[in-house]
């Protein structure tokens, strides 16, 4: 295979798919202070992800974070569809203008009536506890991030989705879609996004545990049972 029909095997896409499918199957992976994916819902999620591979939508050996990463692959036209955020368009448009011009985002089908999915908190601003001007710094953060007029200017400048609900609709939403037409399907489903959850180290869970374990499973090197058991144990050990 030299081209992927659906490239969902990158380190952001695999955890997002896995945990979203658990929610769409009616499960929860964080409850009562613990983490659990070795469940019927977790098994259904893995089985569907493996079905995509078995039916030839993508070869996880050729398409992953180390080989044909989804952003590179899509704009180099070795992936017909890629699961990645809209930030890649302003990132790649300068070098791949023709591809960017015909790129369209579509809403993924959902297993549940409401298209629930996991969503990260995105980019943000922080103030150091060592700052000598913390009050002024926080005032500035509020000025640029919580004021809708200022926040939407950041979205337009950076090509990012709005963090404020107020900017997903109304005039702000219209301005964003006018500037970035491919935002439209995102703005329609933002209300269904659920925070990924509180982990001591979210990136450890996403990139050092979930991604490598599932890509190894999709490549045929572990069973679904082994994969779920390992992810659950390693994540719980991080708490």
């Amino acid at each position: 295979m030299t081209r992927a029909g659906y490239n969902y095997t990158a380190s952001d896409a695999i955890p997002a798919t896995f945990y979203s499918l658990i929610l769409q199957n009616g499960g929860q992976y964080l409850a009562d202070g613990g983490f659990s994916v070795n469940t019927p819902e977790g098994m259904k999620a893995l089985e569907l992800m493996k079905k995509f591979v078995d039916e030839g939508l993508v070869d996880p050996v050729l398409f992953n974070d180390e080989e044909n990463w989804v952003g590179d692959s899509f704009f180099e036209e070795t992936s017909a569809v890629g699961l990645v955020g809209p930030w890649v368009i302003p990132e790649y448009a300068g070098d791949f203008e023709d591809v960017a011009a015909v790129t369209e985002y579509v809403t993924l089908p959902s297993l549940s009536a409401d298209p629930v999915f996991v969503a990260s908190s995105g980019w943000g601003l922080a103030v150091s506890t060592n700052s000598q001007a913390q009050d002024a710094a926080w005032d500035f953060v509020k000025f640029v991030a919580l004021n809708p007029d200022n926040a939407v200017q950041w979205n337009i400048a950076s090509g990012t989705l709005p963090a404020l609900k107020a900017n997903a609709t109304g005039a702000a939403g219209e301005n964003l879609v006018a500037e970035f037409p491919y935002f439209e399907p995102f703005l329609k489903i933002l209300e269904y996004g659920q925070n990924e959850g509180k982990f001591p180290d979210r990136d450890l869970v996403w990139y050092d545990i979930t991604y490598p374990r599932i890509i190894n499973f999709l490549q045929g090197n572990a069973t679904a049972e082994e994969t779920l058991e390992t992810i659950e144990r390693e994540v719980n050990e991080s708490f």
Side-chain angles (χ1 to χ4, degrees), residues 6-168:
Y6 176 41
N7 187 341
Y8 71 99
T9 45
S11 60
D12 278 315
I14 277 183
T17 299
F18 176 60
Y19 293 114
S20 294
L21 287 175
I22 289 177
L23 297 182
Q24 291 175 17
N25 275 298
Q28 290 288 340
Y29 52 89
L30 280 174
D32 300 324
F35 173 85
S36 178
V37 294
N38 194 8
T39 60
E41 294 82 9
M43 179 61 71
K44 289 178 182 178
L46 277 192
E47 289 174 344
L48 182 57
M49 295 172 74
K50 187 63 163 59
K51 185 177 181 180
F52 294 159
V53 172
D54 293 341
E55 294 191 357
L57 292 180
V58 65
D59 182 340
V61 175
L62 295 180
F63 296 89
N64 50 62
D65 257 20
E66 289 70 38
E67 300 287 338
N68 297 301
W69 179 74
V70 58
D72 297 331
S73 175
F74 179 82
F75 283 93
E76 291 169 358
E77 300 184 78
T78 57
S79 289
V81 179
L83 182 56
V84 65
W87 62 268
V88 299
I89 293 185
E91 182 77 14
Y92 282 82
D95 294 324
F96 299 92
E97 185 177 349
D98 292 344
V99 178
V102 295
T103 294
E104 180 182 359
Y105 274 90
V106 295
T107 304
L108 287 171
S110 174
L111 298 177
S112 55
D114 292 332
V116 294
F117 61 94
V118 297
S120 65
S121 58
W123 296 333
L125 297 170
V127 176
S128 171
T129 56
N130 296 321
S131 171
Q132 299 301 306
Q134 290 191 36
D135 290 342
W138 280 120
D139 285 343
F140 175 75
V141 169
K142 294 174 183 176
F143 173 75
V144 298
L146 297 183
N147 180 294
D149 292 337
N150 296 336
V152 78
Q153 292 307 312
W154 156 254
N155 296 134
I156 291 174
S158 59
T160 53
L161 294 170
L164 295 181
K165 291 182 179 180
N167 284 345

